[in-house]
Amino acid sequence: MTDATPAASAPAPRGARDDGLDAHLIVDRGSFRLDVPLTAAPGEVVALLGPNGAGKTTALRALAGLAPLSGGHLRLDGRELDRTPPESRPVGVVFQDYLLFPHLTALDNVAFGPRCRGAGRAEARTRAAAWLDRMGLAGHSGVKPRRLSGGQAQRVALARALATLPRLLLLDEPLAALDARTRLEVRAQLRRHLAEFEAVAVLVTHDPLDAMVLADRLVVVEHGRVVQEGTPSDIARHPRTDYIARLVGLNLYRGRAEGHTVRLDSGSEITTAEELSGPVFVAFPPGAVTLHRDRPTGSSARNLWHCAIEGLEIHGDQIRADLTGALPIAADLTTAAAAELDLHPGAPVWATVKATQTHAYPA
Amino acid sequence: MTPPRPTGTATVLPGGPRRGRPRTGVPLPLLLPALAGLAFLVLPLAALLVRAPWSSLPEQLTSPEVWQALRLSLVCATSATALSLVVGVPLAWLLARTDFPGRGLVRALVTLPLVLPPVVGGVALLLALGRNGIVGRWLDAWFGVTLPFTTAGVILAETFVAMPFLVITVEGTLRAADRRYEEAAQTLGASRFTAFRRVTLPLIAPGVAAGAVLAWARALGEFGATITFAGNFPGRTQTMPLAVYLALQNDPAAAIALSLVLLAVSVAVLAGLRDRWTNAS
């Protein structure tokens, strides 16, 4: 055991190869089936993003060895891990509510992993102290978890997971347990620590902002399957399911394009700036929608639909109107405009969208 | 004045001896039986104190027989508790954390001594571990070990009766404990046993302590199984409860004195551990 690679269970036998995570996770649980292919290069941060019940946490547990795979495979740095029990996997986990051992100090929590992986008491503590120091928690080493703030506990949990020098770091909703204000700060810190981490990191979240800030690549999971995969900006601009479109605040439609016209399954048409043919998605932000009480004349907008207000809700200093009719639309308008138009559920409205505000891309 | 309301402060008579009773709003059909029950529990203890031979007490208590019986009781109850801990905590873990066919039956068997008359337990122990018992015969033949009518026999009889209390308490605590801590320990490289030793056990320590105290108290007062399996030999198997019973036949004053000692020990344990628990949790 050298200074360079302390702790950790003996790494891959063919230690030279360093090709990150190559997994196909299949877990059957009653009527639910998780089927998620997942690969990541060392140094990459991948976010599994999806609604509650999509199977994200199951995927994470399968990676950690806490839930057995029903099929597929799991390789890390070229080493098969399918049958390896959790305690022998070079995997570190930051759990959703951290699960710091309440009877141990912050230092002993972090030293727990190195101790279990064979380090002596003194050595484990020295290493743990170094990790706490790196997390800016040198002054809190003797503190029990219940005396730590949410942000501090999160960093101790991260230090505890990293202290075993994992080749795969798993984070389950790492920011969910924090209040809004701490969250912002912790998110920035976590981003920095993840950027420094040289192995694979996989985080699970239902919060698109967390995913987009923290991850290099998003894997969107719905109903146990991958529905979209890509860089955060790619996914934000080209959502492929309603769930992601809602998350990133876009109206999303699927249809067939012929030139500048996209015909939806419902029969409605959208005029787009792009010229495409075949199956496409069309997206535009709610802010691009203009509402009119009477049918507008002489408008430059190429898209005009007759709709009815289904619901109104306040979004910050704006009002989000949900429209039904020709096609379901979310529209944002100011409270003043909403008052002027005398909007109320059931009220008929005309919605216009400029073709240049829409964005069409192949499905 | 406004008309009196059932729960209003206006009905509380200042300075009256029954002040506070109307305020609590306890219906009489509940209050009266409750008070009767309380009296029933407290009255015998009061009688013990009232009738205690206070003048001759120092003399009674310093007699070697009393000390002998008390020491034997404490040694046996503590040993039985230790034995229960060594085998009972793993048994509780097995019941709470694993799933095997017939687990329900095993659990029923573990709890059986809770409801079994202790005398029956003593008879059963004799048939199992007695000199002609199904196991005792071999113990005798191969190792020359005889358990009935020895101090070791007392410890076994007390363990038989007391261990279920520990197992049930610890199992309940284990079920209530968050298993994800064990998973967290596993992801950090701890084997299941290490996770149990370094994470689970410290977390359930209050429950283990509670179970141990229950078991200890039960063992201290154990009578039926002990006298059946281990007999009543002063200095060897005559624990306090046996001594009390025997003394009651020919020296009631001594019986009362011995009872007072047991009462004091019980109260001391209860008071001492209550503080420890409240501090721990």
Side-chain angles (χ1 to χ4, degrees), chain A residues 93-105:
Chain A
V93 187
V94 176
F95 291 89
Q96 180 168 356
D97 32 14
Y98 316 135
L99 297 178
L100 295 175
F101 304 131
H103 60 290
L104 298 179
T105 61

Side-chain angles (χ1 to χ4, degrees), chain A residues 296-358:
Chain A
T297 52
S299 163
S300 71
R302 303 296 306 274
N303 291 299
L304 172 66
W305 301 292
H306 189 54
C307 299
I309 304 276
E310 189 179 45
L312 294 164
E313 66 183 276
I314 296 184
H315 251 242
D317 58 350
Q318 292 200 317
I319 286 188
R320 164 75 51 94
D322 283 317
L323 313 180
T324 58
L327 64 176
I329 306 175
D332 282 347
L333 61 167
T334 61
T335 42
E340 207 167 294
L341 288 167
D342 185 25
L343 295 185
H344 54 86
V349 287
W350 292 89
T352 59
V353 175
K354 287 183 169 190
T356 52
Q357 300 261 35
T358 67

Side-chain angles (χ1 to χ4, degrees), chain B residues 110-160:
Chain B
V110 168
T111 38
L112 190 59
L114 284 178
V115 288
L116 192 74
V119 179
V120 178
V123 172
L125 280 171
L126 267 181
L127 296 179
L129 302 174
R131 202 171 276 226
N132 287 314
I134 54 174
V135 174
R137 156 185 338 188
W138 305 112
L139 288 179
D140 194 29
W142 292 350
F143 307 107
V145 174
T146 322
L147 291 170
F149 312 112
T150 62
T151 305
V154 177
I155 294 170
L156 287 184
E158 290 184 352
T159 306
F160 181 81

Side-chain angles (χ1 to χ4, degrees), chain A residues 37-59:
Chain A
L38 192 65
T39 56
E44 198 178 12
V45 181
V46 179
L48 287 179
L49 176 66
N52 289 329
K56 301 170 309 228
T57 299
T58 305

Side-chain angles (χ1 to χ4, degrees), chain A residues 211-226:
Chain A
M212 290 184 182
V213 170
L214 297 173
D216 305 317
R217 189 155 55 86
L218 308 189
V219 174
V220 185
V221 180
E222 282 179 57
H223 309 297
R225 299 190 166 267
V226 176

Side-chain angles (χ1 to χ4, degrees), chain A:
Chain A
M1 201 174 278
T2 66
D3 284 334
T5 55
S9 62
R14 298 157 289 164
R17 245 190 112 187
D18 205 38
D19 51 3
L21 174 69
D22 169 20
H24 185 178
L25 307 172
I26 299 177
V27 180
D28 283 311
R29 196 174 272 177
S31 59
F32 178 80
R33 182 179 176 91
L34 177 84
D35 186 344
V36 171
L38 192 65
T39 56
E44 198 178 12
V45 181
V46 179
L48 287 179
L49 176 66
N52 289 329
K56 301 170 309 228
T57 299
T58 305
L60 200 101
R61 290 176 61 81
L63 287 170
L66 298 171
L69 285 182
S70 316
H73 64 266
L74 173 53
R75 275 190 288 276
L76 187 62
D77 295 343
R79 181 179 154 199
E80 293 282 348
L81 289 184
D82 309 26
R83 308 251 172 278
T84 312
E87 63 265 30
S88 307
R89 295 188 184 197
V91 175
V93 187
V94 176
F95 291 89
Q96 180 168 356
D97 32 14
Y98 316 135
L99 297 178
L100 295 175
F101 304 131
H103 60 290
L104 298 179
T105 61
L107 185 75
D108 285 334
N109 262 283
V110 181
F112 189 94
R115 277 285 277 157
C116 287
R117 308 234 184 216
R121 185 187 297 262
E123 191 198 345
R125 288 191 155 194
T126 312
R127 223 183 284 166
W131 276 107
L132 285 179
D133 193 27
R134 204 163 145 184
M135 296 288 160
L137 287 167
H140 294 79
S141 58
V143 174
K144 292 275 177 71
R146 65 169 178 276
R147 306 271 310 271
L148 294 170
S149 72
Q152 290 166 345
Q154 203 262 2
R155 278 180 284 160
V156 173
L158 184 62
R160 186 176 70 169
L162 290 173
T164 60
L165 305 179
R167 297 301 303 159
L168 172 61
L169 178 67
L170 305 172
L171 304 107
D172 190 2
E173 302 277 359
L175 303 167
L178 303 171
D179 60 70
R181 209 152 41 99
T182 332
R183 202 172 171 138
L184 211 63
E185 188 190 324
V186 175
R187 192 191 283 133
Q189 287 169 351
L190 184 59
R191 183 183 159 74
R192 195 160 44 79
H193 291 302
L194 287 179
E196 286 169 10
F197 184 59
E198 72 288 350
V200 179
V202 174
L203 73 101
V204 148
T205 180
H206 67 273
D207 185 320
L209 191 55
D210 290 348
M212 290 184 182
V213 170
L214 297 173
D216 305 317
R217 189 155 55 86
L218 308 189
V219 174
V220 185
V221 180
E222 282 179 57
H223 309 297
R225 299 190 166 267
V226 176
V227 292
Q228 194 171 358
E229 200 171 339
T231 63
S233 60
D234 183 40
I235 285 183
R237 265 179 295 146
H238 304 123
R240 299 182 88 84
T241 71
D242 282 340
Y243 165 72
I244 312 167
R246 255 201 323 279
L247 283 184
V248 297
L250 287 175
N251 288 298
L252 180 72
Y253 309 95
R254 192 179 180 142
R256 286 192 81 80
E258 262 174 57
H260 289 287
T261 305
V262 175
R263 179 179 287 275
L264 308 186
D265 294 341
S266 62
S268 304
E269 287 183 353
I270 303 176
T271 306
T272 60
E274 290 89 351
E275 204 176 338
L276 293 164
S277 68
V280 292
F281 285 110
V282 183
F284 55 84
V289 183
T290 314
L291 297 185
H292 313 266
R293 206 58 209 265
D294 304 307
R295 186 180 179 117
T297 52
S299 163
S300 71
R302 303 296 306 274
N303 291 299
L304 172 66
W305 301 292
H306 189 54
C307 299
I309 304 276
E310 189 179 45
L312 294 164
E313 66 183 276
I314 296 184
H315 251 242
D317 58 350
Q318 292 200 317
I319 286 188
R320 164 75 51 94
D322 283 317
L323 313 180
T324 58
L327 64 176
I329 306 175
D332 282 347
L333 61 167
T334 61
T335 42
E340 207 167 294
L341 288 167
D342 185 25
L343 295 185
H344 54 86
V349 287
W350 292 89
T352 59
V353 175
K354 287 183 169 190
T356 52
Q357 300 261 35
T358 67
H359 179 39
Y361 45 96

